[in-house]
């Protein structure tokens, strides 16, 4: 008993109580957190955040596109999100004559707003814990059907939380008429680019503005000229009063994926196996792309989005591994598990649990790793998906008409440079062969490499002898004989095998995940002091914390607010990521800040970004950042690099989310965009 307590004293402290700032809470049960929130400065009530019966803040928050968050800021459907969330829409609407990414865009009237085909915005109508209904025998399909009908909703699903110990029903409405209203030029909206990504101090004006339209009954509808601006049940009032260190902040949004309860095996896999492999392989790809970009402007533009995509996770994984190492998460988890095992030893239902989980990891890890390695190497070759498309379409008996081939080309060989793909493919195949256990390498590939001598020589042959990249449409005879199509075809079995392990984390592979249901239940019995919150799963959550800086290194405190002066200090027309619009330089020169001026450390400037201690993750981009009165003070868009381990372990001393200050958003709209009329609509007088 003494030993048990001692072990617990060691380990339980670390994971015992969710510190004030940790957690992503379910809105409909936020009541349990309200006391803590009020102590920190929250002024509203639980049913102001979420209510089934009246308009609440949840009616002002939407999921934007597939993976971001957005918020209503006017009674007429005006919607705010990040620039990087609107990026693909802005790109889609751009052309050589109208380059909205470079120049920005401002609709000066409703008629000038630009519909974005395919863009959707999803509003949560209702959520409900249906665990007991399901336990009582109701079918999930019936519950969903009934909810959709009752709430006149197009989408409903039941999500397992705590690995299925609880089930929550979510009912949504999807709006399909969404129009672009405004975006700053990328030199503001993407200022700092990949250089500053995940970094503080930060100066990115990461926002864009849309408007949601509805039919005459204020219901979701397909695009139509007749549609009217949607009138949300609730929108956020904007506060221009600004932020002070210590102020309460709340983030309301759709975080995507965390794994706070996984065992040491899972953390070890992430920090020591998966991340290092993915980082090394992406470094190779990024180096090759950057080198080509530095030599040619057209290539820089063609590969900008691809580079940004590869680099975003690459940089995050490095911070995550570093953070987990610094926290000693693996060791702490091992201690925690030891203490748990001691407690579980005399409980038959739990006694063997950790052993079973351990065995499941041993069994699944080689397969999961093979899939991840395949994704980073073979799928890192751009031609592969195009070649595989020929292979599968034909194998499935489809006729590959000229039109179909043209479409596939647009999808897979978009902004394509053969030399880059060739250089990358040589390295990727060589890494694949070096790192993949032999039994996973398709036999015809092994034979072909032997014939050509090296993986590189074999790739040279692929690129020399293919007709896929230059010619189209190809006759069936030609594409079936093409070396790239044949190469792709050799991986059909590997792909089928990979599909069995295609889960968002290792621990979600069913052979492992099935144990977590019991483990989670046991943890909640055992570790009574711990404040449990469900892992993120792209459903609506509340996080709360305070505006605060942090100690980045010994003697190096990072303060909570950046200003226009920092932008000017970085400004450099020679460096693409730091080349600001002339308008901003002029405004700075003339100190023409108007009402947006603030005094900070004896200087007059304009606020740009701020730090806070909210627990956020991917998917929280675009989330409203609210003050104690529920007013909008910023838009969340990033975390600091050293915070990124918070997807596995949150450290309140270091973990910080980064938001663009709403005053900078308004300043840019007003002074740079000349769209002051929108401020009126937002009620900013
Ligand atoms: N790191 C942020 C996120 O995970 C922003 C990414 C977009 N910005 C960029 N420079 N790539 O989505
Ligand atoms: N930029 C991320 C997003 O798009 C948010 C940053 C994070 O991972 O916290 O969701």
């Amino acid at each position: 008993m003494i030993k048990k307590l001692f072990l617990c004293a060691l380990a339980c402290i670390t994971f015992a109580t969710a510190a004030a700032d940790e957690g992503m809470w379910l809105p409909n049960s936020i009541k349990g957190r309200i006391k803590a929130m009020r102590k920190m400065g929250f002024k509203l009530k639980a049913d102001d955040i979420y209510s089934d019966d009246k308009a609440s803040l949840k009616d002002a928050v939407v999921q934007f596109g597939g993976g971001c968050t957005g918020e209503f800021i006017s009674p007429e459907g005006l919607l705010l999100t990040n620039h990087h969330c609107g990026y693909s829409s802005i790109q889609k609407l751009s052309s050589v004559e109208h380059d909205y990414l470079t120049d920005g865009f401002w609709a000066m009237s409703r008629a000038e707003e630009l519909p974005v085909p395919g863009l959707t915005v999803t509003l949560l109508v209702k959520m409900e814990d249906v665990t007991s209904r399901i336990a009582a025998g109701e079918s999930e399909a019936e519950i969903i059907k009934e909810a959709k009908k009752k709430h006149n909703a197009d989408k409903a699903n039941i999500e397992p939380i705590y690995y299925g110990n609880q089930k929550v029903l979510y009912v949504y409405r999807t709006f399909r008429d969404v129009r672009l209203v405004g975006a700053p030029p990328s030199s503001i909206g993407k200022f700092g680019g990949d250089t500053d990504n995940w970094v503080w101090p930060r100066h990115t004006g990461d926002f864009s503005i849309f408007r949601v339209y509805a039919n005459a009954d204020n219901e979701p509808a397909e695009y139509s000229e007749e549609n009217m601006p949607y009138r949300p049940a609730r929108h956020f009032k904007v506060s221009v009063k600004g932020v002070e260190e210590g102020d309460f902040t709340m983030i309301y949004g759709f975080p995507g994926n965390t794994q706070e309860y996984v065992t040491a095996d899972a953390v070890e896999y992430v920090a020591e196996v998966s991340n290092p492999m993915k980082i090394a392989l992406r470094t190779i790809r990024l180096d090759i792309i950057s080198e080509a970009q530095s030599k040619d402007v057209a290539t820089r533009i063609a590969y900008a989005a691809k580079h940004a995509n590869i680099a975003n996770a690459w940089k995050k994984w490095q911070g995550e591994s570093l953070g987990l190492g610094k926290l000693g998460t693996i060791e702490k988890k091992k201690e925690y598990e030891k203490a748990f095992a001691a407690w579980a030893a005399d409980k038959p239902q739990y006694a063997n649990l950790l052993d079973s989980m351990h065995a499941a990891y041993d069994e699944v890890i080689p397969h999961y790793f093979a899939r991840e390695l395949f994704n980073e190497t073979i799928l890192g070759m751009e031609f592969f998906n195009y070649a595989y498309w020929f292979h599968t379409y034909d194998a499935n008996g489809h006729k590959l008409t000229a039109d179909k081939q043209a479409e596939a080309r647009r999808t897979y060989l978009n902004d394509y440079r053969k030399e880059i793909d060739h250089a990358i493919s040589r390295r990727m195949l060589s890494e694949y062969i070096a790192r993949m256990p032999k039994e996973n390498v398709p036999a015809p590939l092994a034979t072909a490499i032997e014939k050509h001598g090296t993986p590189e020589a074999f790739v040279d042959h692929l690129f020399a002898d293919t007709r896929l990249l230059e010619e189209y449409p190809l006759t069936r005879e030609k594409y079936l004989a093409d070396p790239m199509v044949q190469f792709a075809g050799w991986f059909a079995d590997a792909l089928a095998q990979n599909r069995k392990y295609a889960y968002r984390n290792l621990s979600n592979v069913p052979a492992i995940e099935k144990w977590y249901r019991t483990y989670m239940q046991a943890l909640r019995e055992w570790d009574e002091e711990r404040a449990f919150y469900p892992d993120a799963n792209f459903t609506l959550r509340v996080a709360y914390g305070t505006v605060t800086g942090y100690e980045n290194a010994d003697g190096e405190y990072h303060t909570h607010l950046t200003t226009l002066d920092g932008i000017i200090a970085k400004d450099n027309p020679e460096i693409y990521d730091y080349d600001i619009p002339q308008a901003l330089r002029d405004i700075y020169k003339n100190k023409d800040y108007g009402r947006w001026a603030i005094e900070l450390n004896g200087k007059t400037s304009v606020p740009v970004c701020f730090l806070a201690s909210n627990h956020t993750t991917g998917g929280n981009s675009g989330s409203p950042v609210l003050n104690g009165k529920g007013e909008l003070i910023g838009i969340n868009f990033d975390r600091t690099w050293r915070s990124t381990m918070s997807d596995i372990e949150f450290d309140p001393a270091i973990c910080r989310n980064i938001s663009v200050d709403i005053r900078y958003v308004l300043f840019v709209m007003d002074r740079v965009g000349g769209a002051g009329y929108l401020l009126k609509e937002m009620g900013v007088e």
Side-chain angles (χ1 to χ4, degrees), residues 166-187:
Q166 269 170 254
K167 299 262 176 118
V168 182
L169 167 73
Y170 292 90
V171 187
Y172 301 99
R173 283 189 189 177
T174 311
F175 292 86
R176 296 174 194 284
D177 186 350
V178 185
R179 305 183 194 175
L180 178 66
V181 174
S186 291
S187 52

Side-chain angles (χ1 to χ4, degrees), residues 401-417:
T401 58
D403 279 356
K404 284 235 170 78
Q405 290 190 33
E407 195 188 311
R409 232 183 138 73
R410 275 198 300 276
T411 308
Y412 298 116
L413 296 188
N414 179 30
D415 286 329
Y416 182 75
R417 296 283 187 281

Side-chain angles (χ1 to χ4, degrees), residues 84 190 193-194 197-198 202 206 308-309 312 618 621 637-639:
H84 81 262
K190 209 178 176 306
D194 278 343
N197 192 23
W198 301 110
R202 189 65 155 274
D206 199 344
N309 268 334
N312 191 40
S621 273
F637 71 97
D638 210 359
R639 275 174 291 171

Side-chain angles (χ1 to χ4, degrees), residues 163 353 356-357 360 363 507-519:
Y163 295 94
L353 189 55
S356 306
M357 293 172 80
E363 184 205 311
S507 304
N508 300 109
V509 175
I512 296 176
E513 199 186 61
K514 65 175 186 195
W515 300 108
Y516 269 101
R517 187 166 174 176
T518 314
Y519 182 57

Side-chain angles (χ1 to χ4, degrees), residues 599-620:
E599 296 297 324
L600 193 72
N601 306 326
K603 233 191 259 164
T604 305
S605 199
V606 177
V608 176
C609 292
F610 65 88
L611 281 180
S613 59
N614 301 275
H615 192 177
T616 56
T617 189
N620 269 128

